[in-house]
């Protein structure tokens, strides 16, 4: 049996079009254009591409996108001063600090400096706390993208056993949290799952994942999840993005797992495109709340 391929590109496009319509309506009522400012420190080529893609996506949605490019040798104090300036700037609604930062800068200190109401990545402890209490200001982009992808593909997580492999602050932990929340935070969305979180110290990982109705892989290891780890008919969401000599690939052995699963995301073209779509949505929410 070949799995249904979950087309993240198509769903991301749908969401981006919805956001563009809402941005236009918001502008007509408030005469305010939502604005996202991305800060890029250093010259990491992958980060430069990510930031450029976000800038283009903003433009297509009618959101003003600005990139502040700072040299590698920027000090932590200089970066914090720039963030404070943006926190106080009324025309800037969302601030995004592109990661990774150079090693001489403490990432946590910098992320904590972003005003919570402009923290469109949802990294601030205030926003993570609100999310965990089921009253989010924003939802983190990649986990929210996973939730939207599942919901819009007709895969209901309610009451299902979801196994998340990975417990990072960016992907694993918040994905587990939002799927386990009792109600969908933004209208009717996918929630109420029974969630297990696995990590590098989990014993006999395959015996846990084989019990899952839905496996979400956020590990950062190419083709780590094999067909033997998947219950026949389960759904598999691959968040991984790994550069290999053969090109970009996910954390899941797509060719073999797609013979066992009922539905699977490809890499590229699965979760990745959803992340930017949800960032645009958060920027609109930020503009709406700061304008009201
Ligand atoms: P991360 O911070 O490195 O976290 C990886 C997680 O995987 C950790 O919790 C780690 O466990 C766990 N892990 C590592 N080896 C394992 C093993 N052998 N068995 C079980 N668990 C294991 O990575 P991340 O930021 O969450 O990113 C994960 C992947 O998603 C990466 O490929 C990244 O590029 C990709 N990503 C994609 C998007 C997107 O838009 N599609 C966005 C963000 C990230 P410990 O906690 O025990 O170390």
């Amino acid at each position: 049996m070949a799995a249904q391929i979950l087309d993240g590109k198509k769903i991301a496009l749908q969401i981006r079009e919805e956001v563009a319509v809402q941005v236009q309506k918001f502008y007509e009522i408030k005469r305010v254009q939502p604005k996202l400012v991305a800060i890029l420190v250093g010259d990491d080529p992958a980060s430069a591409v990510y930031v450029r893609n976000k800038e283009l996506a903003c433009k297509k949605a009618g959101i003003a996108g600005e990139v502040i490019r700072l040299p590698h040798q920027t000090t932590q104090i200089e970066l914090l001063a720039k963030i404070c300036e943006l926190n106080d700037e009324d025309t800037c609604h969302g601030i995004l600090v592109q990661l990774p930062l150079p090693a001489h800068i403490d990432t946590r200190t910098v992320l904590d400096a972003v005003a919570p109401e402009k923290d469109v990545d949802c990294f601030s402890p205030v926003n993570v706390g609100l999310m965990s209490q089921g009253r989010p200001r924003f939802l983190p982009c990649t986990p929210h993208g996973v939730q939207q992808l599942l919901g819009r593909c007709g895969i209901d997580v309610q009451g299902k056993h979801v196994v998340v492999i990975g417990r990072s602050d960016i992907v694993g932990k918040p994905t587990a949290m939002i799927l386990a929340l009792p109600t969908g935070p933004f209208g009717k969305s996918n929630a109420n799952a029974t969630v297990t979180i696995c990590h590098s110290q989990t014993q006999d990982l395959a015996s846990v994942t084989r019990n899952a109705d839905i496996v979400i892989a956020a590990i950062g290891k190419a083709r780590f999840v094999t067909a033997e780890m998947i219950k026949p008919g389960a759904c598999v969401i691959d968040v991984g993005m790994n550069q290999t000599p053969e090109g970009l690939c996910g954390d899941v052995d797509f060719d073999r797992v797609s013979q066992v699963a009922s539905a699977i995301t490809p890499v590229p073209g699965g979760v990745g495109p959803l992340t930017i779509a949800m960032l645009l949505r958060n920027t609109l929410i930020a503009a709406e709340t700061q304008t009201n």
Side-chain angles (χ1 to χ4, degrees), residues 111-231:
L111 296 181
D112 283 356
V114 175
E117 63 274 16
K118 299 192 179 188
D119 167 40
V120 285
D121 265 331
C122 194
F123 289 158
S124 143
V126 175
N127 289 329
V128 174
L130 288 170
M131 171 180 62
S132 78
Q133 292 180 347
R135 49 184 187 128
R137 179 188 271 134
F138 305 113
L139 289 176
C141 302
T142 303
H144 193 194
V146 169
Q147 188 188 42
Q148 288 290 320
L149 180 71
L150 286 165
R152 289 174 187 242
C153 290
I155 299 166
D156 189 359
V157 304
Q158 166 121 349
K160 302 270 176 60
H161 184 201
V162 175
V163 171
V164 180
I165 318 176
R167 57 176 166 184
S168 71
D169 288 335
I170 297 178
V171 190
K173 245 189 279 175
T175 301
M177 192 181 291
I178 66 175
L179 295 179
L181 282 173
T183 49
F186 289 118
K188 186 183 179 304
S189 60
N190 232 350
N192 279 317
T194 302
V195 181
T196 302
I197 303 179
C198 299
H199 45 74
S200 66
Q201 305 307 306
T202 298
Q203 286 181 13
D204 195 1
L205 178 64
S207 73
V208 183
T209 57
R210 272 199 299 269
N211 264 313
D213 302 309
I214 298 165
V215 173
I216 301 175
I219 310 156
K221 291 188 173 163
R223 301 185 196 91
F224 179 89
V225 176
T226 60
E228 294 69 38
M229 295 169 73
I230 302 300
K231 175 171 78 177

Side-chain angles (χ1 to χ4, degrees), residues 11-288:
I11 289 164
L13 194 64
Q14 245 174 37
I15 295 173
R16 284 166 65 159
E17 285 169 1
E18 288 166 15
V19 172
V21 169
Q22 289 162 359
V23 165
Q24 178 62 28
K25 277 191 189 146
F26 173 70
Y27 181 77
E28 280 163 13
I29 296 165
K30 299 282 184 182
R31 295 284 147 198
V32 171
Q33 185 183 24
K35 181 175 175 182
L36 173 69
V37 179
I39 305 177
L40 175 64
V41 186
D43 39 27
D44 177 53
S47 294
V49 173
Y50 293 145
V51 163
R52 179 81 190 122
N53 288 344
K54 287 168 189 168
E55 199 182 8
L56 288 172
C58 280
K59 202 172 165 196
K60 283 190 186 156
I63 292 172
E66 183 187 333
V67 181
I68 297 177
R69 293 181 171 82
L70 300 173
H72 178 89
Q73 62 273 21
T74 302
T75 65
Q76 182 165 310
I77 290 178
E78 286 166 338
L79 179 54
L80 291 172
K82 180 47 80 183
I83 290 171
C84 285
E85 211 179 281
L86 293 170
N87 284 344
D88 289 340
E89 198 180 300
D90 288 344
T91 58
C92 160
H93 305 103
I95 302 171
L96 178 154
V97 181
Q98 184 63 44
L99 301 180
L101 288 168
H104 64 275
I105 296 177
D106 181 58
T107 301
R108 193 68 265 176
T109 304
V110 169
L111 296 181
D112 283 356
V114 175
E117 63 274 16
K118 299 192 179 188
D119 167 40
V120 285
D121 265 331
C122 194
F123 289 158
S124 143
V126 175
N127 289 329
V128 174
L130 288 170
M131 171 180 62
S132 78
Q133 292 180 347
R135 49 184 187 128
R137 179 188 271 134
F138 305 113
L139 289 176
C141 302
T142 303
H144 193 194
V146 169
Q147 188 188 42
Q148 288 290 320
L149 180 71
L150 286 165
R152 289 174 187 242
C153 290
I155 299 166
D156 189 359
V157 304
Q158 166 121 349
K160 302 270 176 60
H161 184 201
V162 175
V163 171
V164 180
I165 318 176
R167 57 176 166 184
S168 71
D169 288 335
I170 297 178
V171 190
K173 245 189 279 175
T175 301
M177 192 181 291
I178 66 175
L179 295 179
L181 282 173
T183 49
F186 289 118
K188 186 183 179 304
S189 60
N190 232 350
N192 279 317
T194 302
V195 181
T196 302
I197 303 179
C198 299
H199 45 74
S200 66
Q201 305 307 306
T202 298
Q203 286 181 13
D204 195 1
L205 178 64
S207 73
V208 183
T209 57
R210 272 199 299 269
N211 264 313
D213 302 309
I214 298 165
V215 173
I216 301 175
I219 310 156
K221 291 188 173 163
R223 301 185 196 91
F224 179 89
V225 176
T226 60
E228 294 69 38
M229 295 169 73
I230 302 300
K231 175 171 78 177
C235 166
V236 180
I237 304 294
D238 190 351
V239 184
M241 292 203 309
N242 307 293
Q243 290 296 345
T244 70
E246 306 90 58
L248 185 69
C249 85
D251 288 345
V252 175
D253 180 356
F254 181 88
D255 291 343
R256 292 194 175 81
V257 172
S258 59
Q259 298 304 311
V260 178
S262 59
I264 188 168
T265 55
V267 177
V271 175
L274 269 301
T275 299
I276 292 187
M278 303 330 293
L279 176 70
L280 300 177
R281 185 169 170 161
N282 279 352
T283 305
L284 171 63
I285 292 169
E288 285 170 345

